[in-house]
Amino acid sequence: MKRAIEHTSVKSGLMKVSVIGVVIMVGCLVFFYVMQLRHQHDIEQLAQGDRSVLVNRILDVYSKQYSNIVRDNSAWDEFIESFIDNNNDEQWLLNNIGYMLENYDATCVCVFDTTGAVEYQRKADDSKDVEFFDFDGKSVMDLIGDDHFISFHLRIGNLLYEYHGAAIVSAADMVSRQEKAKGYLFMVKKISYELLSEYQNAIGNAETGLVFTKNEIKNTEDIAFPNYMIIKEMKNFNDETIAYIYFVFKNSLVGMFKRFVPVFLLVSLMCLLITIAIMRYATVKITRPLNNIAHSLDTGKTEQI
């Protein structure tokens, strides 16, 4: 009986060694993954700051592109001559101002006189019935004031529009903008899915969308988790937030975890199979022969040796 216990202890000892080996192997794998995870987390934190800068830069580039078009066209001597001296030459306005509708994919181009009355307006075909210049009783002079320029967003129905306006002055006053306004030029651009796609393509690896309420943006944040989300507020002429454009960046930590799980399961399965193989080997090649020897010594029979 004593020898049987000793032989059993050999088997249990091998099992303990196998289990310890498996634990060490799996522990090393987990340790390596945790270290990689921490390193990747640091990289993600740095990347998040870069993404914010990139998003701001992309939005700024697009916005300035349109505001610069309005600025350049608003400081033009020929514009003033055709607008004032030639009693609103519509053909000239169509050829030189109305063209912005096609060339820059604008939704509406409008010229106001110094009283705020519309003197010329051209709209895209799908926006003929939209009233773009209802500013809660404010005139364009109230909006622009002494700044000569203005940019803001406005929600009309379920669509968001970006506005860029400038006071009309002579070419000599393009930079200083000290002259009294001779009128006002506005360009309106719809924040369409196509424009959002342009943002997305410019950034390269982010999903982009537009919502109007805090609840919508909260729900979007919940859906996007655990990915990273950057939210930009769109403000109207009263500096009130009326919409949100968001950018969702894939969290590489999620990808790492998804890649780690099958590797961990595979390694664990391999360790289990190795343990079973060791125990099987120990049973067949060690424990059973030792039991036979012990039995022969106890009985004096040597047939099983």
Side-chain angles (χ1 to χ4, degrees), residues 167-179:
I168 300 171
V169 297
S170 67
D173 196 43
M174 176 181 284
V175 178
S176 62
R177 298 279 174 165
Q178 298 299 315
E179 292 179 1

PDB file of all heavy atoms in Angstrom, residues 167-179:
ATOM      1  N   ALA A 167     -19.263  91.997 -46.670  1.00  0.00           N
ATOM      2  CA  ALA A 167     -19.667  93.306 -47.174  1.00  0.00           C
ATOM      3  C   ALA A 167     -18.997  93.544 -48.529  1.00  0.00           C
ATOM      4  O   ALA A 167     -17.845  93.152 -48.745  1.00  0.00           O
ATOM      5  CB  ALA A 167     -19.260  94.393 -46.182  1.00  0.00           C
ATOM      6  N   ILE A 168     -19.725  94.180 -49.448  1.00  0.00           N
ATOM      7  CA  ILE A 168     -19.199  94.473 -50.775  1.00  0.00           C
ATOM      8  C   ILE A 168     -18.441  95.792 -50.716  1.00  0.00           C
ATOM      9  O   ILE A 168     -18.992  96.827 -50.322  1.00  0.00           O
ATOM     10  CB  ILE A 168     -20.335  94.548 -51.810  1.00  0.00           C
ATOM     11  CG1 ILE A 168     -21.074  93.202 -51.867  1.00  0.00           C
ATOM     12  CG2 ILE A 168     -19.792  94.936 -53.185  1.00  0.00           C
ATOM     13  CD1 ILE A 168     -22.337  93.249 -52.705  1.00  0.00           C
ATOM     14  N   VAL A 169     -17.156  95.743 -51.101  1.00  0.00           N
ATOM     15  CA  VAL A 169     -16.295  96.937 -51.107  1.00  0.00           C
ATOM     16  C   VAL A 169     -15.480  96.934 -52.391  1.00  0.00           C
ATOM     17  O   VAL A 169     -15.524  95.993 -53.184  1.00  0.00           O
ATOM     18  CB  VAL A 169     -15.349  96.958 -49.881  1.00  0.00           C
ATOM     19  CG1 VAL A 169     -16.146  97.050 -48.583  1.00  0.00           C
ATOM     20  CG2 VAL A 169     -14.461  95.711 -49.862  1.00  0.00           C
ATOM     21  N   SER A 170     -14.697  98.004 -52.591  1.00  0.00           N
ATOM     22  CA  SER A 170     -13.863  98.086 -53.789  1.00  0.00           C
ATOM     23  C   SER A 170     -12.642  97.185 -53.645  1.00  0.00           C
ATOM     24  O   SER A 170     -12.283  96.763 -52.540  1.00  0.00           O
ATOM     25  CB  SER A 170     -13.408  99.535 -54.012  1.00  0.00           C
ATOM     26  OG  SER A 170     -12.525  99.930 -52.964  1.00  0.00           O
ATOM     27  N   ALA A 171     -11.992  96.920 -54.781  1.00  0.00           N
ATOM     28  CA  ALA A 171     -10.810  96.058 -54.773  1.00  0.00           C
ATOM     29  C   ALA A 171      -9.691  96.665 -53.940  1.00  0.00           C
ATOM     30  O   ALA A 171      -8.903  95.939 -53.313  1.00  0.00           O
ATOM     31  CB  ALA A 171     -10.333  95.818 -56.203  1.00  0.00           C
ATOM     32  N   ALA A 172      -9.608  98.001 -53.911  1.00  0.00           N
ATOM     33  CA  ALA A 172      -8.548  98.666 -53.141  1.00  0.00           C
ATOM     34  C   ALA A 172      -8.716  98.433 -51.645  1.00  0.00           C
ATOM     35  O   ALA A 172      -7.756  98.532 -50.879  1.00  0.00           O
ATOM     36  CB  ALA A 172      -8.549 100.163 -53.443  1.00  0.00           C
ATOM     37  N   ASP A 173      -9.928  98.099 -51.224  1.00  0.00           N
ATOM     38  CA  ASP A 173     -10.210  97.910 -49.811  1.00  0.00           C
ATOM     39  C   ASP A 173     -10.310  96.423 -49.437  1.00  0.00           C
ATOM     40  O   ASP A 173     -10.827  96.090 -48.385  1.00  0.00           O
ATOM     41  CB  ASP A 173     -11.524  98.627 -49.455  1.00  0.00           C
ATOM     42  CG  ASP A 173     -11.690  98.809 -47.943  1.00  0.00           C
ATOM     43  OD1 ASP A 173     -10.709  99.166 -47.276  1.00  0.00           O
ATOM     44  OD2 ASP A 173     -12.804  98.546 -47.442  1.00  0.00           O
ATOM     45  N   MET A 174      -9.786  95.551 -50.316  1.00  0.00           N
ATOM     46  CA  MET A 174      -9.907  94.113 -50.090  1.00  0.00           C
ATOM     47  C   MET A 174      -9.296  93.680 -48.762  1.00  0.00           C
ATOM     48  O   MET A 174      -9.840  92.846 -48.049  1.00  0.00           O
ATOM     49  CB  MET A 174      -9.245  93.329 -51.228  1.00  0.00           C
ATOM     50  CG  MET A 174      -9.252  91.822 -51.021  1.00  0.00           C
ATOM     51  SD  MET A 174      -8.440  90.919 -52.342  1.00  0.00           S
ATOM     52  CE  MET A 174      -9.676  91.016 -53.638  1.00  0.00           C
ATOM     53  N   VAL A 175      -8.141  94.261 -48.414  1.00  0.00           N
ATOM     54  CA  VAL A 175      -7.432  93.831 -47.214  1.00  0.00           C
ATOM     55  C   VAL A 175      -7.890  94.598 -45.983  1.00  0.00           C
ATOM     56  O   VAL A 175      -8.265  94.017 -44.958  1.00  0.00           O
ATOM     57  CB  VAL A 175      -5.911  93.984 -47.398  1.00  0.00           C
ATOM     58  CG1 VAL A 175      -5.174  93.589 -46.123  1.00  0.00           C
ATOM     59  CG2 VAL A 175      -5.426  93.151 -48.578  1.00  0.00           C
ATOM     60  N   SER A 176      -7.886  95.909 -46.065  1.00  0.00           N
ATOM     61  CA  SER A 176      -8.174  96.723 -44.879  1.00  0.00           C
ATOM     62  C   SER A 176      -9.653  96.719 -44.506  1.00  0.00           C
ATOM     63  O   SER A 176     -10.006  96.797 -43.332  1.00  0.00           O
ATOM     64  CB  SER A 176      -7.703  98.162 -45.117  1.00  0.00           C
ATOM     65  OG  SER A 176      -8.404  98.742 -46.206  1.00  0.00           O
ATOM     66  N   ARG A 177     -10.530  96.667 -45.505  1.00  0.00           N
ATOM     67  CA  ARG A 177     -11.975  96.632 -45.270  1.00  0.00           C
ATOM     68  C   ARG A 177     -12.436  97.784 -44.368  1.00  0.00           C
ATOM     69  O   ARG A 177     -13.125  97.588 -43.372  1.00  0.00           O
ATOM     70  CB  ARG A 177     -12.384  95.292 -44.647  1.00  0.00           C
ATOM     71  CG  ARG A 177     -12.105  94.091 -45.530  1.00  0.00           C
ATOM     72  CD  ARG A 177     -13.167  93.887 -46.572  1.00  0.00           C
ATOM     73  NE  ARG A 177     -12.825  92.817 -47.495  1.00  0.00           N
ATOM     74  CZ  ARG A 177     -13.699  92.232 -48.329  1.00  0.00           C
ATOM     75  NH1 ARG A 177     -14.949  92.632 -48.343  1.00  0.00           N
ATOM     76  NH2 ARG A 177     -13.318  91.279 -49.147  1.00  0.00           N
ATOM     77  N   GLN A 178     -12.057  98.995 -44.769  1.00  0.00           N
ATOM     78  CA  GLN A 178     -12.450 100.174 -44.012  1.00  0.00           C
ATOM     79  C   GLN A 178     -13.628 100.917 -44.650  1.00  0.00           C
ATOM     80  O   GLN A 178     -14.237 101.776 -44.024  1.00  0.00           O
ATOM     81  CB  GLN A 178     -11.248 101.129 -43.907  1.00  0.00           C
ATOM     82  CG  GLN A 178     -10.049 100.548 -43.162  1.00  0.00           C
ATOM     83  CD  GLN A 178     -10.374 100.188 -41.725  1.00  0.00           C
ATOM     84  OE1 GLN A 178     -11.023 100.967 -41.018  1.00  0.00           O
ATOM     85  NE2 GLN A 178      -9.939  99.022 -41.292  1.00  0.00           N
ATOM     86  N   GLU A 179     -13.908 100.614 -45.905  1.00  0.00           N
ATOM     87  CA  GLU A 179     -14.976 101.316 -46.614  1.00  0.00           C
ATOM     88  C   GLU A 179     -16.348 100.950 -46.050  1.00  0.00           C
ATOM     89  O   GLU A 179     -16.537  99.874 -45.470  1.00  0.00           O
ATOM     90  CB  GLU A 179     -14.954 100.958 -48.108  1.00  0.00           C
ATOM     91  CG  GLU A 179     -13.747 101.474 -48.858  1.00  0.00           C
ATOM     92  CD  GLU A 179     -13.797 101.058 -50.328  1.00  0.00           C
ATOM     93  OE1 GLU A 179     -14.774 100.393 -50.736  1.00  0.00           O
ATOM     94  OE2 GLU A 179     -12.850 101.391 -51.053  1.00  0.00           O
TER      95      GLU A 179
END
